[in-house]
Amino acid sequence: MTDGSTFAGFQATLLRVLVPVALALIVGGLILLVLGKDPVGYYGYVLERSLLRWGGAQETLTRMAPLLLIAAGLIVAFRAGIWNLGGDGQFLLAAVASAALAPVFIGILPRGLTLVACMLVGSLVGALWSVIPAVLKARYGVNEIITTLMMSFLGTSLANVLIKLVLRDPDTTVPQTRSLPVDDRLPRLFGTTIHGGLVLAVLTVIVVHLMMTRTAFGLKLQVLGANRAAAVHAGFRVERLILAAFALSAALIGLAGAVEVLGVWGTVRADWNPALGLLVVPLVFLARFNGFAVIGFTLFFSALMVGGESAARRVGVPQHYVLVLVALLLLFLGIVEYLDQSRRKSGTP
Amino acid sequence: MSIVAALSKVTKRYPGTVALDAVSLEFRAGEVHVLLGENGAGKSTLVSLLAGMQQPDEGAILVGGQTVRIDSPRRSMDLGIGAVFQRVLLVPSLTVIENLMLGGSWLRRLAREPALRRFGELAQLLGTHIDPDAPVSGLSLGEQQQVEIMRALWRDEKLLLLDEPTSMLTSHGVADLGRSMRRLRDQGVALILITHKLLEAFEFGDRISVLRLGCVAGEIAPQRLQAMSEAQRTETIIRMMFGIGVGGEGGPADGHEAELAILLGHKIHGPAIIDRARPPVLSVREASTAADYTETPLHEVSFDLWPGEVLGIAGVDGNGQKHLAEMLAGQRGVRSGLLRLGDADITHGHVPERRQRGVRYVTDDRLGEGTVGKFPVATNLVLKEVGASPWWRHGFTNWDLIHRHAREQIKSNDIRTPSELTPVNHLSGGNVQKVLLARELDAHAAVAILNKPTYGLDLHNQRLALDRIGAAAARGVALIVISTDLDELIEISDRIGVMFQGRLAGIVDNDDRAADIIRRLMTGAATV
Ligand SMILES: Nc1ncnc2c1ncn2[C@@H]1O[C@H](COP(=O)(O)OP(=O)(O)OP(=O)(O)O)[C@@H](O)[C@H]1O
Ligand SMILES: [Mg+2]
């Protein structure tokens, strides 16, 4: 709500986050031990590969860009009480649309304009893919969890079909869209491999956070999320708010898809689906819909992913073990939260 | 008489407040024990301790002579304690009988037949006629409360907690409730009744305790209570409730005598002068609303309202009052008919447009729609102005200004809260209402609709609220006050309209004969 956390409040919040992180790492380590792996080795390897080595660190930061943009989209929706779980479909369709258009645009437009146009198209496609669940929810009160998941399923399939049947690059054997040349992609930052999408993503998260906490629109969304009857009573245009929140959320997720294509891949292959939409959901909850906290958790998660992938090859711990750690983290955050509340309830200081 | 439950030196603190301060009380079988006290005195907190919603910080709770730890609502039920809270806690999407069956052990199959039988017994005991298969969302607030009472009595509880159960009931419903309370008492149940209406306390209570600022300010045992006259009881209790010393003892007590007089119900404002030769500020012509399944719709309601006038709306709850209020506020569409505010046709204006023109609405569903419970008091004070200047500029929030405004409002309206950042659902019921009144009876109000403005308020705050209504009228605000309390309407209104089955059965001038006519209009026995 208000942003005025005092220093003591900030400290307490930090503690509420750090304790669960530590517990998750410890329990995760114990599980590794039981599986006969060396936890210290594993964590050390993950840390080294993802943050301490320059190459790994660049990879970690690059991976953050789409995660952050998706998180921004989810913050908008979740704060408004809208469960947009259709991120994967919105992401992929936007990715495909911008991948298809970028090579065409680059022939007629300057590079900067091409990139901006493709990002706009990506956002638009994402937003469009949320229209049906949005209208169903606003008008008829249809539960958006089901409709967005269904649209997501449709969207990922449609993306595949489009690549295989319509947008396929005839020059490649694997079905994929025509590639955008590396030099025409999003600019790299200061000679690193990190692309400018990261800056855009960080800024977007911060802007979204400020929008939610410091503007009338953000407050209206929060009221809607907290008590729809009060939103009606206060005279907000609830239907329009739902449509707007949905569109904005999906547009940001679409932007994530566009940025990932324009910054990293330059093309979309058939059957490519990083499925980030649902991966980001727990991060947004961990951060309690707070934009700044989201940046921290995304960094943590991104590092785990990058390090976990290398570790999968070297230490023999499957890559998905990272998800176990995230799940443990979520669990411990919940437990710490619960203990904290019941301690407050029973009044012991 | 045996003591069913007792509190021994119980203290309960919240951030910034001591809600209960070393309270010791005993609750006896076969006795209705009334708890009185001003808003925020700690009554609901006491109930929530016994109901297992909160744990005491210090002191002990004894049930049947044993010290117990009531750490969950289930434990409380197992100890034979049933509770009806100030706020309705039913699952709206489930039916009445499903809600009632929820209390059972979840290991057992939900058995409908015995549940229906129990429902029948309780319906008879309470004298209600509710369809067990109706969804709760379709019931009026009054009916929902009846279901709550049934749920609290479901397992033959030995101690029944009733936190302001009468506030939403009609006088008929109150009488019914009183009868069932007596029957329960005669079966040896101990009852704790919280109310702000002294007459109810006298009528139903065997013993009266008064809480003040978290302490027991006094207790009147049955023999003493019976020996006193009504005037004596009233004065004694009001003095305990508000900490007013007995006159003549010197000290600051003397200064409070004037306040005591106000509390005892003396009019402050004379009748406002209403010039009916001037055009009315609000005209409603044959306005109807579309039917929905929750409330009676309006049918061709027409009336005029002049500046400075208080139009009371009487009637049994559920006869279209809610639709009337919502239609006037712009929250519910007009199906046919016409609404004029001054020179403007506002028939199709929505809430923001009407609010901008000075229409205000104090809902009776304070936490359901009137406020966002987990948001701070400050935010709730500007909830209906979101986006408007001066709090917002080009859509950007000026939190400093909003917080400053809130601090001023908290002070000038005597809202008891640790700070403007406290979530509004941490406030006591009466203080939530003060937040709403502060928001709606502001300086720019032209027409204000108030639905049950005093329910849940203590005597002092009732007087203050009525006083604010009178003051607003004196400023030239036109007010529509909806209430089920006829005495209150007669006290403040210039004219009184009566709702019956969605129609305005008539509007009568508030004179000596008004009460009789209104009572007949309310039952549909007469028209004007
Ligand atoms: N959950 C809570 N958190 C913080 N403070 C609380 C909470 N619940 C109650 N309080 C505070 O404790 C005090 C006692 O509140 P309580 O609800 O018991 O009053 P009450 O006597 O029931 O008043 P009313 O007649 O208005 O219902 C109040 O000052 C209130 O603000
Ligand atoms: Mg209370």
Side-chain angles (χ1 to χ4, degrees):
Chain A
M1 221 349 3
T2 47
D3 223 17
S5 45
T6 58
F7 182 68
F10 178 72
Q11 246 184 346
T13 314
L14 204 64
L15 218 63
R16 268 210 294 277
V17 171
L18 289 184
V19 171
V21 167
L23 285 173
L25 291 179
I26 292 170
V27 173
L30 288 178
I31 295 176
L32 284 178
L33 212 58
V34 170
L35 295 176
K37 310 280 177 197
D38 168 20
V40 179
Y42 176 75
Y43 287 137
Y45 195 79
V46 167
L47 186 69
E48 191 208 321
R49 279 305 163 111
S50 63
L51 291 173
L52 301 182
R53 275 207 201 158
W54 181 224
Q58 293 184 57
E59 174 70 13
T60 298
L61 290 172
T62 309
R63 291 264 186 112
M64 281 177 72
L67 298 177
L68 284 174
L69 285 167
I70 293 173
L74 293 183
I75 288 176
V76 172
F78 290 176
R79 283 243 196 177
I82 293 169
W83 304 105
N84 177 13
L85 299 184
D88 288 346
Q90 293 149 14
F91 179 94
L92 263 191
L93 280 175
V96 168
S98 51
L101 288 176
V104 181
F105 282 179
I106 201 74
I108 45 176
L109 295 174
R111 179 186 177 203
L113 224 53
T114 298
L115 293 174
V116 171
C118 286
M119 287 197 268
L120 285 179
V121 168
S123 309
L124 199 69
V125 168
L128 279 178
W129 206 246
S130 78
V131 166
I132 293 176
V135 171
L136 285 176
K137 161 110 181 164
R139 268 294 139 70
Y140 309 105
V142 179
N143 186 321
E144 72 281 12
I145 295 181
I146 296 162
T147 53
T148 52
L149 281 173
M150 271 168 40
M151 288 302 286
S152 190
F153 183 66
L154 274 179
T156 45
S157 311
L158 179 62
N160 257 326
V161 170
L162 281 176
I163 295 168
K164 285 181 180 159
L165 298 184
V166 187
L167 305 168
R168 180 168 180 174
D169 179 356
D171 300 336
T172 55
T173 46
V174 198
Q176 66 176 45
T177 64
R178 281 176 55 205
S179 312
L180 183 67
V182 176
D183 289 343
D184 291 329
R185 295 182 192 165
L186 285 170
R188 310 271 145 148
L189 298 174
F190 322 109
T192 63
T193 61
I194 306 162
H195 60 77
L198 177 65
V199 178
L200 178 72
V202 171
L203 286 179
T204 304
V205 169
I206 293 174
V207 167
V208 162
H209 182 83
L210 295 180
M211 182 193 81
M212 293 313 293
T213 52
R214 277 157 204 252
T215 69
F217 178 66
L219 183 58
K220 283 184 182 177
L221 289 184
Q222 291 201 46
V223 171
L224 176 67
N227 182 350
R228 184 171 170 162
V232 173
H233 180 68
F236 304 163
R237 301 284 177 93
V238 167
E239 288 191 11
R240 279 197 214 171
L241 279 178
I242 292 176
L243 294 180
F246 245 121
L248 188 55
S249 166
L252 289 167
I253 295 173
L255 181 61
V259 161
E260 185 68 353
V261 165
L262 299 171
V264 180
W265 305 104
T267 175
V268 177
R269 268 200 221 169
D271 299 320
W272 178 70
N273 181 5
L276 300 176
L278 291 178
L279 278 187
V280 177
V281 172
L283 300 185
V284 172
F285 272 93
L286 288 173
R288 296 154 184 251
F289 311 159
N290 178 308
F292 296 105
V294 150
I295 297 177
F297 278 111
T298 306
L299 177 64
F300 179 73
F301 181 69
S302 189
L304 277 180
M305 293 242 289
V306 170
E309 278 164 25
S310 311
R313 274 173 256 129
R314 278 290 296 275
V315 190
V317 176
Q319 184 192 334
H320 292 297
Y321 193 69
V322 168
L323 294 181
V324 173
L325 290 177
V326 170
L328 284 172
L329 183 53
L330 212 59
L331 191 70
F332 283 117
L333 252 124
I335 292 175
V336 167
E337 170 89 22
Y338 172 79
L339 291 178
D340 197 47
Q341 266 189 5
S342 55
R343 186 186 53 123
R344 252 185 273 177
K345 200 166 105 181
S346 73
T348 35
Chain B
M1 248 176 297
S2 73
I3 292 167
V4 176
L7 304 182
S8 165
K9 301 226 174 91
V10 165
T11 296
K12 174 75 197 169
R13 294 184 201 92
Y14 290 116
T17 338
V18 183
L20 291 176
D21 191 358
V23 166
S24 298
L25 281 172
E26 291 171 339
F27 305 104
R28 294 169 176 76
E31 201 173 87
V32 178
H33 193 143
V34 174
L35 286 184
L36 296 171
E38 57 181 335
N39 291 127
K43 306 179 296 294
S44 296
T45 304
L46 193 153
V47 165
S48 71
L49 294 182
L50 285 168
M53 315 276 282
Q54 308 273 356
Q55 276 75 54
D57 298 332
E58 287 158 30
I61 300 177
L62 294 96
V63 174
Q66 307 284 320
T67 302
V68 290
R69 194 178 139 74
I70 313 179
D71 48 13
S72 72
R74 173 149 304 267
R75 179 91 188 106
S76 165
M77 277 157 61
D78 292 343
L79 288 167
I81 301 173
V84 175
F85 296 99
Q86 226 165 337
R87 307 166 195 172
V88 177
L89 298 172
L90 300 171
V91 183
S93 57
L94 296 183
T95 65
V96 169
I97 196 76
E98 284 166 346
N99 262 288
L100 290 172
M101 291 193 298
L102 282 183
S105 157
W106 56 274
L107 285 176
R108 233 178 312 139
R109 243 184 86 240
L110 292 176
R112 198 177 141 80
E113 283 313 312
L116 277 177
R117 221 175 308 127
R118 181 70 184 144
F119 177 86
E121 287 169 23
L122 288 171
Q124 204 177 2
L125 184 65
L126 294 170
T128 54
H129 307 280
I130 295 173
D131 175 6
D133 292 317
V136 162
S137 58
L139 302 183
S140 73
L141 279 179
E143 287 170 326
Q144 292 186 18
Q145 190 143 36
Q146 301 270 14
V147 178
E148 292 263 20
I149 294 171
M150 287 194 184
R151 182 167 70 176
L153 295 173
W154 200 248
R155 287 166 45 173
D156 259 332
E157 272 69 7
K158 289 284 160 278
L159 174 63
L160 182 62
L161 316 168
L162 297 157
D163 194 351
E164 298 189 37
T166 60
S167 52
M168 285 187 292
L169 303 182
T170 58
S171 55
H172 193 72
V174 174
D176 281 347
L177 177 66
R179 205 162 15 200
S180 16
M181 282 196 301
R182 272 190 218 106
R183 271 189 242 173
L184 289 169
R185 178 193 65 189
D186 295 342
Q187 285 172 18
V189 176
L191 291 101
I192 301 179
L193 172 68
I194 293 175
T195 176
H196 286 294
K197 299 195 180 123
L198 292 190
L199 290 181
E200 282 173 9
F202 300 153
E203 193 176 340
F204 307 132
D206 301 308
R207 178 188 298 269
I208 295 180
S209 293
V210 177
L211 286 181
R212 175 174 153 69
L213 299 173
C215 302
V216 181
E219 181 164 321
I220 308 179
Q223 308 84 340
R224 190 169 152 227
L225 194 62
Q226 270 156 21
M228 289 160 116
S229 75
E230 194 175 304
Q232 281 171 328
R233 291 169 176 177
T234 307
E235 187 170 337
T236 313
I237 285 169
I238 284 181
R239 283 182 191 279
M240 286 182 190
M241 252 161 104
F242 299 100
I244 304 169
V246 180
E249 280 182 357
D254 291 332
H256 288 298
E257 290 302 309
E259 187 172 10
L260 182 62
I262 293 171
L263 289 169
L264 289 170
H266 298 287
K267 277 203 182 190
I268 317 168
H269 286 274
I273 299 133
I274 300 153
D275 183 2
R276 291 192 205 277
R278 283 178 35 206
V281 59
L282 178 73
S283 303
V284 181
R285 286 290 166 273
E286 301 192 335
S288 302
T289 55
D292 67 18
Y293 66 101
T294 50
E295 280 271 337
T296 317
L298 286 188
H299 191 77
E300 297 184 352
V301 168
S302 301
F303 64 90
D304 290 315
L305 191 67
W306 278 268
E309 182 178 29
V310 179
L311 173 65
I313 299 287
V316 176
D317 215 4
N319 273 284
Q321 291 96 327
K322 186 120 193 145
H323 272 227
L324 177 66
E326 292 183 353
M327 181 202 66
L328 292 174
Q331 196 174 323
R332 181 177 288 279
V334 182
R335 201 188 53 184
S336 64
L338 198 70
L339 256 64
R340 296 185 68 80
L341 187 71
D343 303 328
D345 182 347
I346 57 161
T347 312
H348 299 293
H350 288 289
V351 175
E353 187 204 323
R354 293 200 194 169
R355 177 153 180 107
Q356 220 230 321
R357 291 178 184 278
V359 177
R360 300 288 184 269
Y361 171 31
V362 179
T363 172
D364 61 339
D365 194 0
R366 293 169 198 166
L367 287 156
E369 65 173 13
T371 55
V372 182
K374 59 183 181 189
F375 284 8
V377 172
T379 314
N380 277 290
L381 278 169
V382 293
L383 196 65
K384 288 197 182 168
E385 315 256 306
V386 176
S389 67
W391 327 116
W392 277 267
R393 247 165 226 259
H394 310 297
F396 287 97
T397 318
N398 188 341
W399 283 116
D400 286 341
L401 195 63
I402 291 173
H403 292 155
R404 195 164 350 119
H405 168 72
R407 285 193 293 273
E408 283 161 17
Q409 292 291 319
I410 287 168
K411 208 184 230 172
S412 61
N413 292 284
D414 189 28
I415 300 167
R416 308 272 171 90
T417 171
S419 98
E420 73 276 10
L421 298 179
T422 306
V424 81
N425 62 5
H426 287 182
L427 268 54
S428 78
N431 283 297
V432 175
Q433 177 68 342
K434 288 198 217 166
V435 171
L436 288 195
L437 284 174
R439 184 174 77 201
E440 306 294 333
L441 291 184
D442 63 336
H444 305 293
V447 174
I449 305 115
L450 300 97
N451 199 353
K452 306 199 193 102
T454 59
Y455 104 73
L457 300 193
D458 67 36
L459 282 169
H460 184 69
N461 286 322
Q462 269 174 37
R463 302 310 316 170
L464 283 180
L466 295 181
D467 192 37
R468 290 209 64 181
I469 291 172
R475 278 204 323 263
V477 181
L479 295 117
I480 297 172
V481 179
I482 301 171
S483 175
T484 46
D485 184 342
L486 190 52
D487 297 332
E488 181 178 288
L489 288 180
I490 287 177
E491 187 189 329
I492 59 170
S493 308
D494 299 296
R495 291 182 301 158
I496 297 174
V498 182
M499 295 291 300
F500 183 68
Q501 294 182 349
R503 293 164 199 268
L504 200 52
I507 297 184
V508 296
D509 286 328
N510 187 9
D511 57 25
D512 298 342
R513 300 176 309 125
D516 279 347
I517 306 174
I518 290 166
R519 287 212 177 84
R520 271 184 290 139
L521 287 172
M522 267 164 65
T523 55
T527 45
V528 173

